Amino acid sequence: MDLLATINSPADVRKLARTQLTPLAHELRAYLLDSVSKTGGHLSSNLGTVELTVALHYVFNTPHDRIVWDVGHQTYSHKILTGRRERMHTLRQLGGISGFPKRDESEYDTFGTAHSSTSISAALGMAQAAKIKGEHRHAIAVIGDGSMTAGMAFEALNNAGVQEDVNLLVILNDNDMSISPPVGALNRYLARLMSGQFYAAAKNVGKSVLPAPVLELAKRLEEHAKGMVVPATMFEEFGFNYIGPIDGHDLDSLIPTLQNIRHLKGPQFLHVVTKKGQGYKLAEAEPILYHGTGKFNPAEGIKPPAAPGKLTYTEVFGNWLCDMAAADKKLVGITPAMREGSGMVRFDQEYPDRYFDVGIAEQHAVTFGAGLACEGLKPVVAIYSTFLQRGYDQLIHDVALQNLDVTFALDRAGLVGADGATHAGNYDLAYLRCIPNMVVMAPSDENECRQMLTTGYRYQGPAAIRYPRGAGIGAAVEKELTTLEIGKGEIKRRGQKIAILAFGSMVAPALAAGEALDATVANMRFVKPLDVELLRQLAAEHDYLVTVEEGCIMGGAGAAVAEALAAQGIVKPLQMLGLPDQFIDHGDPAKLLASVGLDGAGITASIRQRSAAGEPRLAVSNG
């Protein structure tokens, strides 16, 4: 690591001789593999962008020139080269550095990302701002072929192409893989051009960017010979000057190309071809397995656990989906490019004709489901809580307003641990319960999750089941596809004076608090419709009510209880516990919950503190 040890900023990279850059890239890749194997994190995507990162910081004057990394799960090399090498051992840990670009972490992180397809819009805004302010700087968006499937990317291209005098460079990092296998017409288009002779000839175009007449001649010859549209056609129709494709692992192509582009005016589009997992054979062979890893031994690779652990909620959903599909031929499954993450691999294998991966297109996924429901099919949209935020208008306008029969399986509800605030599903209870016709459920264990999925599926209208990331409490899961009575909770423990109304994942810690306080604990199950009858009973039998949820307090389940009490004319001391009005960073999920008072000890302490203060008629706690 002799070279890498001397690099504390991109300025140090720019001091190196060209001949030193390839050894630096080799050291950087080895450091990445060693570091991520000890902390866990995104591996395949980062191994694939080592040379591109070195080249960008070598050619451009960062941070004066802005780089926006789409999604950001390919930025570990960027972090290492921008002064954070010594902090990589804290990656994605409480108090450590983020796994994604973060503006308050470094001046080199020019735009915070973690959700896909935002880079071109942000970089265009930066380029336009430089023009308005009279500053000469470049804005560079690095976007993968998976992220290019989203409509937002094309909205930005459409806008950028007519702004001829902005210094904008869009780099398409074409590695033929998003998190799940890439899908759609754009992927077929890129795959087709990669198989053409034009690619073989154009790999060397970076060594001297071809004059326009020569490039045009090459394109026309290829079109005539192959009867196919070359890549430049689509992107140049948007108003970009297209260059490529070039080998994204060849610094002798990358650097001259970027140096030439730096002197060009107007929107530029560079197409680079890379390989996920580059340089580590196991990741090259299984890039999806090595996309997001835990700790592992690089010499041995990722090994399956010695003994099966508790079922994850994702596995409960995947098993339920296959079982329900066997029972009902009308079921169709939809995912926006998260087959593995949402637990749909088995469903894809067993029911390929009823499985639809629509790409990174959450808005389309929701309305596509609405169209299927219009024709009598039973769509199940499997989507992360944080990503459904992107399809909110479609959820209201296209599904709920028409009262269409679409079931939403919301994974990663609540805090998500290492991915941090960008992926946390903190807001679904608040943004779902205000929508007419919606049924909103939160399971307390694995078996209840299966029952709620069945309940939502058989409900004739839109229903959402939100469940957390990771394993459940170890509850046995019944094989039967049974339903719950909609809008009915249950009492899990009977106590005195205090009643804790717990929602979803908070039932288990609420029971621990109930034991410590001799309090009644209710598993409310439904956020909408709320079990008002149970609420009235608990209010009548107890002196003090407490709501607990793994979601934002503002507008959440506790607010629903307060509204119901007010509507019933019931005046009773009420304390609301949940996630505070702030974004919560990455870290171990248990530690994060404890830090906001949502473990058993924290719930107990919050109730005791408020009780000791005199039990006011209405008390709201931010955890």
Side-chain angles (χ1 to χ4, degrees), residues 162-451:
V162 298
Q163 301 183 39
E164 298 178 356
D165 53 351
V166 295
N167 287 325
L168 174 69
L169 168 60
V170 175
I171 298 177
L172 174 60
N173 176 31
D174 183 0
N175 54 33
D176 196 36
M177 203 198 99
S178 50
I179 296 175
S180 294
V183 296
L186 177 64
N187 174 253
R188 291 181 182 177
Y189 176 71
L190 294 174
R192 183 175 63 179
L193 83 91
M194 290 297 98
S195 67
Q197 293 299 315
F198 180 73
Y199 170 53
K203 280 182 68 174
N204 295 317
V205 75
K207 295 177 180 176
S208 60
V209 175
L210 294 177
V214 178
L215 184 60
E216 181 63 26
L217 176 61
K219 289 188 289 186
R220 290 181 182 276
L221 286 172
E222 181 67 16
E223 287 173 1
H224 178 75
K226 301 290 290 184
M228 63 178 261
V229 180
V230 296
T233 303
M234 178 173 69
F235 298 112
E236 289 188 348
E237 286 297 328
F238 275 106
F240 282 77
N241 175 43
Y242 175 92
I243 299 164
I246 65 171
D247 186 344
H249 299 298
D250 181 5
L251 287 168
D252 290 334
S253 290
L254 278 171
I255 289 174
T257 301
L258 291 171
Q259 288 174 328
N260 286 327
I261 289 173
R262 191 179 57 185
H263 300 294
L264 299 177
K265 299 296 183 183
Q268 307 295 319
F269 193 101
L270 174 62
H271 185 171
V272 303
V273 179
T274 62
K275 185 171 186 176
K276 275 204 170 183
Q278 174 74 12
Y280 182 48
K281 294 301 182 183
L282 295 175
E284 290 180 14
E286 296 186 89
I288 294 176
L289 176 63
Y290 286 85
H291 170 74
T293 75
K295 299 177 184 180
F296 69 100
N297 183 339
E300 298 177 354
I302 297 174
K303 300 293 184 182
K310 298 175 184 177
L311 274 179
T312 66
Y313 281 97
T314 302
E315 290 170 330
V316 171
F317 166 73
N319 294 336
W320 171 85
L321 189 66
C322 291
D323 292 344
M324 185 57 78
D328 187 352
K329 294 182 179 179
K330 291 183 178 181
L331 182 148
V332 292
I334 303 168
T335 177
M338 296 302 293
R339 183 186 69 167
E340 285 75 19
S342 290
M344 299 182 74
V345 173
R346 181 183 151 208
F347 179 78
D348 176 23
Q349 295 168 345
E350 295 184 8
Y351 301 97
D353 294 338
R354 293 151 68 183
Y355 167 78
F356 297 95
D357 183 343
V358 301
I360 303 176
E362 293 86 0
Q363 294 171 300
H364 166 61
V366 175
T367 304
F368 175 54
L372 289 164
C374 284
E375 299 302 318
L377 294 180
K378 298 273 288 182
V380 177
V381 179
I383 187 168
Y384 289 8
S385 169
T386 186
F387 295 146
L388 185 57
Q389 294 164 186
R390 300 184 129 199
Y392 192 56
D393 178 65
Q394 290 70 25
L395 178 62
I396 295 173
H397 184 272
D398 299 339
V399 176
L401 183 63
Q402 303 182 87
N403 200 27
L404 292 175
D405 193 3
V406 182
T407 303
F408 294 90
L410 305 189
D411 205 330
R412 272 64 167 178
L415 300 180
V416 293
D419 282 338
T422 56
H423 283 62
N426 297 358
Y427 312 107
D428 49 46
L429 295 181
Y431 73 64
L432 288 171
R433 77 175 191 85
C434 63
I435 303 175
N437 296 326
M438 286 291 303
V439 168
V440 184
M441 294 168 267
S444 63
D445 62 36
E446 303 92 316
N447 191 55
E448 197 166 69
C449 183
R450 183 177 174 90
Q451 292 173 324

Side-chain angles (χ1 to χ4, degrees), residues 124-165:
L124 176 60
M126 293 174 181
Q128 191 59 255
K131 175 188 171 185
I132 293 169
K133 294 161 65 179
E135 298 173 348
H136 182 75
R137 69 173 83 243
H138 290 83
I140 303 141
V142 183
I143 184 169
D145 54 302
S147 293
M148 281 293 293
T149 64
M152 186 175 177
F154 283 89
E155 292 172 16
L157 289 174
N158 183 59
N159 185 214
V162 298
Q163 301 183 39
E164 298 178 356
D165 53 351

Side-chain angles (χ1 to χ4, degrees), residues 58-113:
Y58 183 77
V59 172
F60 290 96
N61 183 27
T62 54
H64 177 77
D65 292 324
R66 318 298 201 207
I67 304 176
V68 181
W69 302 90
D70 207 278
V71 184
H73 57 207
Q74 77 282 52
T75 54
Y76 294 1
S77 292
H78 163 79
K79 287 176 181 281
I80 292 168
L81 295 179
T82 55
R84 287 167 278 183
R85 182 182 68 250
E86 298 302 323
R87 296 192 66 204
M88 285 298 290
H89 70 280
T90 71
L91 183 73
R92 292 161 39 102
Q93 298 169 40
L94 190 63
I97 61 175
S98 171
F100 300 100
K102 197 172 181 183
R103 279 173 55 84
D104 62 6
E105 187 177 291
S106 170
E107 63 178 333
Y108 294 93
D109 292 0
T110 61
F111 194 77
T113 54

Side-chain angles (χ1 to χ4, degrees), residues 430 433-434 527-528 530 532 535 547 553-570 574 576 618:
R433 77 175 191 85
C434 63
V527 178
K528 185 177 184 182
L530 193 67
V532 176
L535 176 58
T547 63
I553 294 175
M554 299 177 71
V561 170
E563 292 163 10
L565 289 171
Q568 296 291 316
I570 299 172
L574 174 65
M576 299 184 215
L618 179 64

Side-chain angles (χ1 to χ4, degrees), residues 20-49:
Q20 294 177 291
L21 297 183
T22 296
L24 174 64
H26 291 328
E27 289 184 22
L28 183 53
R29 181 169 279 111
Y31 186 89
L32 264 175
L33 178 58
D34 179 68
S35 178
V36 175
S37 71
K38 294 175 180 175
T39 62
H42 294 102
L43 182 60
S44 298
S45 51
N46 281 290
L47 291 174
T49 55

